[in-house]
Amino acid sequence: MKPRIAIDGPAGAGKSTVARALAQALGLTYLDTGAMYRAITLSALRKGINLSDAGDLARLAQHISIEIRNDGPDNQNMVFLDGQDVTEEIRLPEVSRNVSVVARCPQVRTILAARQRQIGMRGGVVMDGRDIGTIVMPEAEYKFFLTASLEERARRRQAELEAKGEKIGLAQMMNELSVRDQIDSGRECAPLCPAADAVHIDTTEMTIEQVVRKIAVSTGRSA
Ligand code: DC
């Protein structure tokens, strides 16, 4: 079976970009699990659902269709919500600000983790998220936990948003990320935490290419 590679870490540590490039270099499938939580959040915001109501969120998660396709530019996941392409919309600041609250809901996590596990069972996948090495694919052959300083992570998110024409101050970005970190790490169900056997990589002073190469080498391949 082709390898399963789990990449976890806080927001802005470079997981998605690294996982996408790594999957492309190694000919594996890439799954951005955060995109699924974002799609549910977008749908909840559109429908005016109270994000603190676990019952409403669970019903929503059961009934909406989220399809992830692997045919975006640069191997990006394309995300379809009830058949509509929401790849761009799920990255809106409004979604980013609310997604941690939705991801805290145990019923939502159970539904999404089951789908992610199914994809993982086929093998040949690079999956990134918060609980991939611990809950979704604890049996993955390779596990990595990426970190970077809060300031560097905020700078990266700032640059991403700026490329889309949105401006946000560094202090505000650091504050938003730190709030998300606290919710993601402090929640009772599947909190953000490294698997005991994960390899830790501090990406603060590394380029994406360096991180991809380091991971590829750790798995006995070259990228
Ligand atoms: O990686 P991201 O920023 O797109 O993730 C969005 C949110 O979803 C983040 O606040 C944490 C949550 N998430 C999660 O709880 N578990 C995952 N496997 C992936 C993301």
Side-chain angles (χ1 to χ4, degrees):
M1 184 156 107
K2 283 188 173 179
R4 288 158 294 189
I5 302 177
I7 302 186
D8 290 304
K15 301 179 306 292
S16 301
T17 317
V18 164
R20 175 157 50 87
L22 182 74
Q24 193 163 31
L26 304 184
L28 305 174
T29 300
Y30 164 52
L31 182 68
D32 171 2
T33 62
M36 294 177 156
Y37 290 95
R38 286 173 177 271
I40 292 190
T41 306
L42 175 65
S43 179
L45 290 171
R46 279 179 175 175
K47 290 180 198 282
I49 286 175
N50 174 1
L51 302 186
S52 323
D53 189 324
D56 280 358
L57 279 181
R59 270 185 289 283
L60 177 70
Q62 261 154 5
H63 291 108
I64 58 172
S65 128
I66 299 171
E67 189 196 343
I68 309 276
R69 288 192 209 147
N70 262 281
D71 51 5
D74 292 328
N75 203 33
Q76 259 184 59
N77 281 180
M78 301 284 289
V79 183
F80 294 81
L81 179 62
D82 291 327
Q84 185 201 3
D85 182 356
V86 292
T87 310
E88 293 294 327
E89 252 184 299
I90 59 166
R91 307 281 158 202
L92 288 172
E94 169 82 347
V95 175
S96 301
R97 276 195 280 271
N98 288 290
V99 63
S100 302
V101 175
V102 173
R104 200 163 55 179
C105 173
Q107 293 98 319
V108 168
R109 301 203 69 83
T110 304
I111 292 166
L112 293 190
R115 287 196 51 191
Q116 293 156 9
R117 222 167 273 131
Q118 255 179 359
I119 295 169
M121 278 189 309
R122 294 182 213 141
V125 66
V126 181
M127 215 181 276
D128 88 86
R130 305 292 190 285
D131 57 346
I132 309 305
T134 49
I135 307 279
V136 176
M137 301 198 299
E139 71 293 350
E141 286 78 14
Y142 303 102
K143 299 177 191 175
F144 298 90
F145 194 81
L146 304 192
T147 55
S149 71
L150 178 62
E151 185 171 336
E152 175 60 21
R153 294 191 285 123
R155 282 191 199 289
R156 291 175 187 170
R157 279 290 145 101
Q158 234 187 346
E160 270 171 30
L161 286 175
E162 223 167 276
K164 294 180 192 166
E166 287 169 48
K167 277 212 177 296
I168 178 166
L170 183 64
Q172 188 188 340
M173 194 73 247
M174 284 173 70
N175 185 48
E176 285 188 12
L177 283 184
S178 119
V179 169
R180 277 178 64 190
D181 286 351
Q182 278 169 31
I183 301 178
D184 291 343
S185 313
R187 67 180 174 226
E188 276 179 31
C189 180
L192 163 68
C193 83
D197 52 349
V199 173
H200 292 240
I201 303 176
D202 182 342
T203 71
T204 308
E205 309 221 332
M206 294 173 80
T207 63
I208 294 297
E209 292 73 24
Q210 287 171 328
V211 183
V212 170
R213 223 171 298 130
K214 189 176 168 81
I215 294 183
V217 168
S218 318
T219 67
R221 293 159 178 84
S222 59

